[in-house]
Amino acid sequence: MSKLKNYISAAAAGVMSVALAMPAAAAPVKFDFWFGLSGDLERVVQTLCKNFNDSQKDYEVSCVSQGNYDAALQNTIAAFRAGKQPAIVQVYDAGTATMMLSGAYYPAGKLMSENGYKIDWNDYFPGIARYYATSKGELLSFPFNSSTALLYWNKDSFAKIGKTAAPKTWEEAAEDMKALKGAGYDCPMAINISGNESWQLMEQFSAIHNQPIATKNNGYDGLDARLEVNKTKFVKYVTDLKSWYDQGLIKIKSKDLGQDMVQAFAAGDCQMIMTSVGDHGTVGKTQKAGMNWDVAELPVYAGTERKNSLVGGASLWVLSGKSADEYKGAAAFLNFIHDPKTALFWSTNTGYIPVTNSGFEFMKSSGFYDKAPYKGREVAIASLTASEPTQITRGIRLGNFTQIRAEFGNQMQAIFANKVSVQEGIDNLAKNGNAVLERFEATYKGKQLP
Amino acid sequence: MEKRVTFNKWSVGILFAVPQLLLIFTFFYWPAGQAIFWSLTLQQPWGGGNIWVGLDNFRSILANSDYWNSVTISIAFAAISTAISMVVALILAALTDRQLRGSKIYRVVLIWPYGIAAPASAMAFRFILAPEAGFMSIVNHYWPGFWDPGLDGNAAMASVIAAFSWKYIGYSFIFFLAAFQAIPRSLIEAAAIDGSGVLRRFRDIQFPLITPTIFFLLVINITESFQDSFGIVDIMTSGGPHNSTNLMVYKIYSDGFKGLDFSGAAAQSIILMLLIVLLTIFQFRFIEKRVHYR
């Protein structure tokens, strides 16, 4: 639809410019931005685009939702192979390594400096910037919608067991779950075990415990990295989750089964969940009337020195093969997104966090985090900046990571269905995941991660 | 009896065939050729390079236990769903073919399900079979944990089979009903006058006369269950839990498009194509011999 509109308005502009002998340069430069968000979030992105178009006369961005992150990447690849790619595309965290080797992008840092924008890259939270930067620190894509995982807990039910704070350790969480069960709560904690939850259960857990997911510093140091989650604290964690599930302290909630965990928490059916800060808005909008809840950092095992959690969400990649004018437009658009005022608009309407210190400070000074529906979102920043990123908490740089996440879901389901033991399941995850990594390495034989 | 139309000039025949050949070439031979090429290389998803690996992709697929799981469950899925949809459709068609009051209404009602798109029926079945909210919650209420498609692979497979068979009952029903209607009334009436009952008439007159239809539907149903189950699996289970509904056609999609392993997916689709060709040859060589064409 919007393409058709573009054609019509382009044709109209063409006719007008001939009729009135207007110089062609007066028409704004148009470029496309494809993204993966849909529903409520799509409307926010469209408003953002409209604000950009209204803010100046030289450029016009046309923003098109592709439905979801997978489709955005698939459609962009198809378009790129046909030479019809958009100027900017939103790619999720799991696609980062694949993008870096694609040779299909224009580095964000280079784009901005070449077009005369001075961006202070040090202003970005280090955990966010390093996820999208080369091992030397050059930013390749533009951080956009960023999140991290938090523990959502129901204050009302915790009050019933005499507690006013969320559990800080897993030992404490286990006691709380037993107490909640004893107080008559059927579902003390909800989890889901599909590929998507690899993010909370495996990736975030490993980061805050400073445990590696793969060798070679989680893949940053080479394509020959291989999974080693079957040798870390992650095994103990899954063993505990399984045992809590067997005792009825944890329930599995997913959309396939009728109610996903966010809905289960918002309805007051389950008392704790671990999910993205991006769901903060949804819980607030859909919660049972009068329910008191809050968010906290994910628990760690006792005696752990907590590290920063990982950034989730997506970043914006500028694709190669476009005209210099379109690149000017893309740079102007990215600069607009970088503006703290845009950050405030974006975070208010979505639940995603600001990605820069200055954006965060601007929001704090405007009193954002003191207002009722937004209170608690600053915990995400605290979690992301809990420590200076280590070699393994700066991110995960593994090829075809989507397939590895899918394998995580498969093996977790096999473990929870008692098809395999915990160790066997995680060994299978490592084995099958490594086959994916070997294939990726063979496909990009002789190439190096930037 | 053979029918053959002969043209004086063979070029006229070619001319008539050109539009169809063009379509087949564009939508079958060209992509199939591309898939064969891709299956022998490692394709970088963004283009810009591919590495010739010969039969390595096939070797690694055939050495993968997940792939063999996917083959096994695809065959089981095809056998069970084809059996269910054909037997049920046959019974329903035999019943509605009789001169019953309101049989026209039954016909319309029974044909409708085929008009519903697969994803829509999958959506409906997802609600019907949801363990905590749907119809099965009643069963779970009396027998806790009995129905758990989120963790129990057999339950998930049963849901997918139910949704798929339900759709193809309508399809098979249309053909069976047409076949029954084509049987001359006089044959059945004569048998009735001779004193044979409903079952006897079905066994000795109607069934032999509809064997061509049964054969046709067998070929179509089996082929479709290998190829058309994609939408239902995607919406109901996404191949899970623990790969228990990861049918061959769904695995091709998820490896190729979600996992960006174009070469592996191309090799799998070649194997699937060969499997269907072999199945069809087998059916025509061995089963067709039992079919009575009029």
Side-chain angles (χ1 to χ4, degrees):
Chain A
M1 274 310 273
S2 57
K3 261 211 181 126
L4 183 68
K5 229 160 66 188
N6 279 351
Y7 289 139
I8 293 171
S9 52
V15 170
M16 292 247 299
S17 62
V18 172
L20 304 172
M22 264 169 35
V29 172
K30 291 182 177 166
F31 61 96
D32 288 323
F33 165 40
W34 287 4
F35 60 98
L37 302 168
S38 60
D40 189 35
L41 294 172
E42 178 186 352
R43 282 189 286 279
V44 183
V45 176
Q46 293 295 0
T47 312
L48 191 81
C49 294
K50 190 176 173 299
N51 292 348
F52 170 73
N53 288 336
D54 292 346
S55 72
Q56 42 71 47
K57 288 196 188 99
D58 299 335
Y59 311 105
E60 190 180 322
V61 63
S62 164
C63 300
V64 187
S65 168
Q66 305 293 315
N68 57 53
Y69 287 141
D70 280 337
L73 188 56
Q74 290 156 21
N75 296 349
T76 305
I77 288 175
F80 188 84
R81 292 179 78 112
K84 297 190 189 314
Q85 70 275 27
I88 308 176
V89 62
Q90 181 191 28
V91 177
Y92 54 4
D93 50 1
T96 303
T98 309
M99 284 303 297
M100 283 184 164
L101 285 171
S102 68
Y105 60 87
Y106 198 106
K110 194 169 157 218
L111 175 88
M112 297 312 274
S113 62
E114 281 184 358
N115 287 287
Y117 293 100
K118 284 210 177 63
I119 304 252
D120 178 12
W121 298 114
N122 291 326
D123 189 25
Y124 281 85
F125 292 120
I128 295 176
R130 281 180 210 176
Y131 204 109
Y132 303 114
T134 65
S135 44
K136 291 186 203 80
E138 187 202 358
L139 212 64
L140 295 185
S141 65
F142 215 90
F144 179 50
N145 55 320
S146 291
S147 62
T148 199
L150 294 177
L151 178 77
Y152 289 59
W153 60 289
N154 188 319
K155 286 170 122 172
D156 296 335
S157 57
F158 270 73
K160 289 255 170 67
I161 59 166
K163 289 204 58 170
T164 54
K168 288 208 161 40
T169 64
W170 278 113
E171 288 79 1
E172 194 186 343
E175 292 309 312
D176 292 349
M177 285 191 273
K178 276 178 205 140
L180 286 166
K181 190 86 183 175
Y185 291 101
D186 182 47
C187 170
M189 184 171 201
I191 61 169
N192 190 13
I193 47 173
S194 79
N196 291 333
E197 284 73 29
S198 159
W199 185 65
Q200 298 86 310
L201 298 178
M202 182 171 83
E203 297 155 40
Q204 300 291 358
F205 174 87
S206 298
I208 57 180
H209 287 83
N210 205 22
Q211 300 284 301
I213 284 177
T215 56
K216 300 258 164 183
N217 291 323
N218 282 347
Y220 271 70
D221 296 347
L223 293 180
D224 51 345
R226 296 292 178 263
L227 295 182
E228 54 174 353
V229 277
N230 54 339
K231 296 169 199 152
T232 69
K233 255 186 207 163
F234 176 64
V235 179
K236 173 179 165 52
Y237 183 45
V238 177
T239 309
D240 284 342
L241 288 175
K242 173 72 168 62
S243 128
W244 295 329
Y245 171 77
D246 290 341
Q247 296 167 48
L249 303 176
I250 285 183
K251 296 260 152 133
I252 294 173
K253 294 280 175 185
S254 77
K255 213 179 250 167
D256 298 343
L257 306 178
Q259 189 190 37
D260 68 30
M261 57 180 176
V262 176
Q263 291 167 339
F265 179 78
D269 295 343
C270 292
Q271 313 313 319
M272 280 189 279
I273 55 168
M274 290 179 279
T275 190
S276 163
V277 64
D279 287 323
H280 198 277
T282 310
V283 173
K285 278 179 218 160
T286 58
Q287 69 169 81
K288 195 171 80 175
M291 184 175 113
N292 293 302
W293 57 280
D294 204 352
V295 286
E297 289 175 309
L298 295 182
V300 288
Y301 279 109
T304 305
E305 190 195 336
R306 174 188 286 278
K307 298 291 176 194
N308 65 293
S309 56
L310 293 181
V311 59
S315 64
L316 305 183
W317 291 80
V318 178
L319 296 173
S320 56
K322 308 304 283 186
S323 70
D325 278 348
E326 282 176 280
Y327 283 137
K328 274 188 199 142
F333 182 60
L334 296 179
N335 189 55
F336 175 79
I337 286 173
H338 177 71
D339 192 287
K341 283 198 276 305
T342 315
L344 177 63
F345 165 82
W346 177 243
S347 297
T348 309
N349 287 286
T350 61
Y352 289 111
I353 57 167
V355 286
T356 56
N357 261 313
S358 60
F360 181 49
E361 291 304 326
F362 180 77
M363 285 172 68
K364 257 203 297 203
S365 67
S366 71
F368 178 83
Y369 293 105
D370 304 327
K371 286 181 209 147
Y374 313 120
K375 211 168 160 292
R377 289 189 195 173
E378 72 281 3
V379 177
I381 310 275
S383 172
L384 276 168
T385 55
S387 74
E388 211 18 56
T390 71
Q391 293 289 78
I392 49 180
T393 66
R394 65 185 155 173
I396 299 161
R397 196 57 52 84
L398 300 172
N400 284 354
F401 198 58
T402 317
Q403 270 181 309
I404 294 173
R405 282 185 174 172
E407 194 54 40
F408 165 88
N410 278 332
Q411 297 303 335
M412 287 293 280
Q413 286 158 356
I415 290 168
F416 276 67
N418 292 321
K419 293 248 169 194
V420 291
S421 73
V422 171
Q423 187 65 52
E424 263 177 284
I426 302 176
D427 284 344
N428 287 344
L429 162 63
K431 190 178 109 222
N432 297 344
N434 284 341
V436 170
L437 292 175
E438 274 162 35
R439 262 189 100 66
F440 188 80
E441 191 189 359
T443 306
Y444 286 102
K445 205 172 177 178
K447 297 212 175 181
Q448 299 246 308
L449 279 165
Chain B
M1 189 182 80
E2 285 198 40
K3 290 181 195 164
R4 185 168 287 163
V5 182
T6 45
F7 291 100
N8 293 334
K9 285 182 183 167
W10 65 271
S11 54
V12 179
I14 295 287
L15 200 67
F16 277 123
V18 161
Q20 181 70 14
L21 284 176
L22 220 64
L23 280 175
I24 292 180
F25 179 81
T26 319
F27 291 107
F28 181 73
Y29 288 104
W30 187 68
Q34 190 89 351
I36 291 172
F37 172 68
W38 280 19
S39 71
L40 300 172
T41 59
L42 276 177
Q43 288 280 329
Q44 294 180 7
W46 287 84
N50 53 63
I51 298 166
W52 182 265
V53 293
L55 294 174
D56 274 3
N57 288 322
F58 292 95
R59 270 184 222 118
S60 68
I61 287 164
L62 296 177
N64 184 336
S65 61
D66 280 349
Y67 186 70
W68 285 106
N69 162 62
S70 150
V71 174
T72 319
I73 59 172
S74 296
I75 292 171
F77 174 81
I80 299 172
S81 62
T82 302
I84 292 176
S85 61
M86 284 183 64
V87 169
V88 174
L90 184 64
I91 293 170
L92 291 174
L95 292 176
T96 44
D97 180 48
R98 299 181 64 207
Q99 301 293 344
L100 291 175
R101 185 189 294 247
S103 65
K104 275 189 184 147
I105 298 171
Y106 295 138
R107 282 178 212 167
V108 173
V109 169
L110 290 170
I111 286 170
W112 266 352
Y114 186 65
I116 298 172
S121 68
M123 217 49 203
F125 269 87
R126 213 172 91 173
F127 283 117
I128 295 167
L129 298 177
E132 286 171 8
F135 168 74
M136 294 307 277
S137 64
I138 303 168
V139 179
N140 274 348
H141 180 76
Y142 292 105
W143 205 343
F146 174 78
W147 182 255
D148 187 10
L151 273 188
D152 178 1
N154 293 332
M157 186 52 122
S159 338
V160 176
I161 288 176
F164 186 82
S165 317
W166 185 74
K167 182 173 159 59
Y168 274 86
I169 287 171
Y171 180 82
S172 302
F173 174 79
I174 300 172
F175 283 90
F176 279 136
L177 189 64
F180 279 126
Q181 304 265 301
I183 298 170
R185 289 283 126 187
S186 52
L187 279 179
I188 295 166
E189 279 158 10
I193 291 166
D194 285 346
S196 63
V198 174
L199 287 178
R200 181 80 198 273
R201 295 201 298 263
F202 180 75
R203 199 188 71 196
D204 288 348
I205 299 175
Q206 289 169 308
F207 189 79
L209 287 174
I210 62 162
T211 45
T213 308
I214 294 178
F215 176 65
F216 164 78
L217 285 175
L218 194 65
V219 175
I220 295 288
N221 267 291
I222 289 180
T223 312
E224 291 294 292
S225 62
F226 275 103
Q227 299 191 323
D228 193 36
S229 45
F230 164 76
I232 286 173
V233 173
D234 191 39
I235 286 178
M236 294 190 74
T237 63
S238 304
H242 46 87
N243 277 333
S244 57
T245 57
N246 202 5
L247 302 176
M248 291 169 82
V249 67
Y250 193 73
K251 191 166 161 52
I252 291 172
Y253 161 77
S254 54
D255 285 4
F257 289 99
K258 285 193 180 161
L260 303 179
D261 179 7
F262 293 168
S263 313
Q268 288 177 45
S269 55
I270 304 280
I271 298 176
L272 179 61
M273 188 172 77
L274 290 178
L275 182 73
I276 291 174
V277 168
L278 282 176
L279 259 170
T280 313
I281 291 173
F282 172 81
Q283 294 180 82
F284 272 90
R285 287 203 56 176
F286 296 101
I287 303 179
E288 202 191 17
K289 290 196 177 139
R290 300 175 177 275
V291 172
H292 306 275
Y293 288 104
R294 269 172 282 165

